[in-house]
Amino acid sequence: MKRPQTIAMLSIHSSPLGVLGTRDTGGMSVYVRALARAMGRAGHRVDIFTLRRHADIPAMQALAPNVRLVTLDIGLKTPPPKRELHRYAADCVTAVESFRSQADGAYDLVHSHYWISGEVGRQLGVRWHRPHVITFHTLAAMKDRTGRGRPAAARRLAAESALVQDADALLVACAGEEENLVRHHGADPACIMQVPGGVDFERFRPLDGHRARRQWGFDAEDFIILSIGRLAPLKGQDRILEAVGRLEADAHLRLVFVGGDGPADPEQRRLERLAARAGLAKRITFTGSLPHSDLPALYAAADVFVQASHYESFGLVGLEALACGRPVVTSPVGIMATLGARSQPGCLLTDGSPAGLAAGITAVREQRQAWPPDAIRSAAKAFSWTQAADAALAAYRHVIRRHAAAGFKTLGVLPAAGAPAKPRSTSSV
Ligand code: UDP
């Protein structure tokens, strides 16, 4: 085995143990947890740092062999809202450093997830003379281009630009995000490395659909259209509703939305109003967020999985559906755009419009597009978490070598909102 690495992974705003499918917790938490676990299994050591959200959460806990979750106490009774969190970057740095010095440990590299962690990771990298890499998971510039949801704060846009120039490497989950970084942030392609997302193939596998329908109370004759994800305008659940409204009316048509914060979630209420206006209320079920352990049976119960997002930096749910042998009708985003363009079994790429999605759903329904579940599952097989961890570790080794060869950086100052990013330091890769 190559020399084991010791990694500080930062997931400041969202705990890898958070409730999946709620407002701030989704694919990134799955990604951080699964990547760290796979690295731990391979003998590397990973400490994941997140903000402590309740006083009764332990300061440190073992998540898996060689993987620890460290919760940072920055002296606040209640954690600040996500939009305020960037103000506490220095406090987070102090808390991480205090943990490191008490444990008398050292890290080979800092890997930040999301821009808020990036501000912390950048400072830690300089302080420890270690390389800093970042996975953004979403880019504000890309979200803003969709025109969905509230525009991003200028502070975030400026910070992401600065981090693109400053980090020792930018890790992206798929090729589309690489293009986004180059086009919208002028990233140096030599600085970008791909570390895909993955699927837990033991958990997400084809199951008996009839049994799954009974378990969830669906009729055997129902045609079930499934959507899983946080409820947000960016996710395009309204486009799925509109697509269903365009399908031939049929008492057996059912649309199931999994995810969100429950009946009081403003986005759920908005979708319910849209459904009522379109006369679809009776056909739609909102389950709220459900744990991963519940999802394989839901995928099995579905006739088709629909992803209608306006933007995804990867999109784990599409892969999970494929791993469960279910066909996916998708907008051209994230990894499903890549797989769909390659005509992988089970991926039906559309333009994401309600008409396009409706045509895709109809093609599956009329069996014009039919694939055996095993063929669909094989479309996802290149995406195991072990492979993802191998890609991350290879990127780390590369960056560590380059960083050591180039010497250390000094701590620059992030530009004020709207100001141009500082030029790349000569030691950056
Ligand atoms: N998820 C879940 N329960 C829910 C909704 C979502 O477990 O109620 C999981 C889903 O299975 C996937 C992740 O949350 O693993 C969402 O990741 P994705 O990349 O699709 O979207 P993101 O949250 O990153 O926008």
Side-chain angles (χ1 to χ4, degrees):
M1 188 181 101
K2 305 221 167 61
R3 186 179 83 76
Q5 296 176 17
T6 304
I7 306 303
M9 223 179 242
L10 308 183
S11 178
I12 299 294
H13 82 281
S14 174
S15 166
L17 295 184
V19 180
L20 295 177
T22 56
R23 205 165 55 135
D24 290 331
T25 310
M28 184 183 121
S29 295
V30 175
Y31 188 94
V32 167
R33 197 173 60 198
L35 204 64
R37 279 196 174 136
M39 288 177 183
R41 274 199 302 276
H44 303 275
R45 299 176 68 86
V46 184
D47 285 342
I48 305 171
F49 295 90
T50 192
L51 196 68
R52 190 172 309 162
R53 282 166 188 80
H54 304 284
D56 49 357
I57 291 179
M60 188 186 76
Q61 56 186 303
L63 273 194
N66 295 323
V67 182
R68 302 185 294 188
L69 177 65
V70 181
T71 60
L72 304 173
D73 180 358
I74 57 167
L76 299 172
K77 278 218 176 73
T78 46
K82 184 174 159 196
R83 65 178 182 282
E84 298 288 326
L85 203 47
H86 64 88
R87 297 184 200 286
Y88 298 90
D91 303 274
C92 291
V93 169
T94 306
V96 174
E97 172 55 11
S98 153
F99 173 85
R100 189 208 59 78
S101 63
Q102 276 172 38
D104 200 20
Y107 297 99
D108 295 310
L109 175 139
V110 185
H111 184 173
S112 298
H113 294 269
Y114 199 65
W115 75 277
I116 292 173
S117 295
E119 302 225 286
V120 179
R122 187 182 71 91
Q123 294 181 38
L124 287 170
V126 173
R127 183 187 277 241
W128 294 340
H129 301 280
R130 292 292 183 270
H132 171 229
V133 305
I134 181 163
T135 308
F136 285 104
H137 293 276
T138 56
L139 290 167
M142 291 308 300
K143 275 176 93 163
D144 280 359
R145 279 171 61 84
T146 70
R148 298 302 190 285
R150 270 190 300 181
R155 178 74 181 78
R156 174 176 173 188
L157 286 161
E160 286 183 349
S161 267
L163 286 162
V164 164
Q165 302 304 320
D166 184 88
D168 292 292
L170 309 170
L171 306 190
V172 295
C174 62
E177 197 70 340
E178 179 166 353
E179 279 168 37
N180 295 337
L181 281 169
V182 173
R183 192 173 315 142
H184 299 292
H185 285 293
D188 175 358
C191 216
I192 306 176
M193 296 165 204
Q194 275 195 40
V195 178
V199 184
D200 176 346
F201 285 99
E202 276 176 35
R203 165 161 279 160
F204 293 102
R205 61 185 204 281
L207 297 176
D208 178 348
H210 296 296
R211 201 162 149 216
R213 280 169 180 241
R214 280 197 301 279
Q215 182 186 335
W216 286 95
F218 301 131
D219 288 346
E221 308 80 52
D222 284 348
F223 182 83
I224 297 173
I225 302 163
L226 177 67
S227 157
I228 299 182
R230 294 175 292 110
L231 299 182
L234 194 69
K235 291 283 183 186
Q237 282 103 349
D238 47 3
R239 299 207 281 189
I240 306 179
L241 265 177
E242 212 183 302
V244 170
R246 286 167 177 259
L247 300 177
E248 213 172 290
D250 172 343
H252 291 298
L253 203 58
R254 248 178 124 147
L255 172 57
V256 180
F257 285 118
V258 176
D261 291 313
D265 185 327
E267 187 61 10
Q268 176 167 330
R269 289 161 69 164
R270 185 177 81 89
L271 292 168
E272 282 168 344
R273 282 194 299 277
L274 288 177
R277 242 179 273 147
L280 293 172
K282 287 209 180 97
R283 296 184 202 286
I284 297 176
T285 306
F286 289 92
T287 68
S289 71
L290 293 172
H292 253 187
S293 53
D294 280 349
L295 300 187
L298 270 163
Y299 283 118
D303 290 287
V304 60
F305 182 81
V306 181
Q307 172 179 268
S309 311
H310 296 268
Y311 165 55
E312 291 285 347
S313 62
F314 187 75
L316 292 176
V317 286
L319 276 188
E320 291 166 2
L322 295 180
C324 292
R326 308 318 296 146
V328 180
V329 171
T330 182
S331 51
V333 291
I335 193 61
M336 294 306 294
T338 311
L339 296 182
R342 285 187 209 144
S343 300
Q344 292 276 359
C347 312
L348 234 169
L349 193 58
T350 74
D351 61 4
S353 67
L357 295 169
I361 295 168
T362 302
V364 173
R365 193 171 190 198
E366 293 176 350
Q367 303 272 306
R368 278 188 275 124
Q369 282 293 359
W371 301 272
D374 284 345
I376 297 180
R377 180 169 165 88
S378 70
K381 72 175 185 300
F383 297 93
S384 74
W385 286 114
T386 307
Q387 281 159 304
D390 286 349
L393 289 160
Y396 293 170
R397 277 192 295 276
H398 186 72
V399 173
I400 289 167
R401 271 199 309 274
R402 290 219 289 203
H403 187 264
F408 307 133
K409 288 186 284 196
T410 52
L411 186 57
V413 177
L414 281 180
K422 79 177 173 65
R424 169 169 295 284
S425 82
T426 50
S427 60
S428 298
V429 292

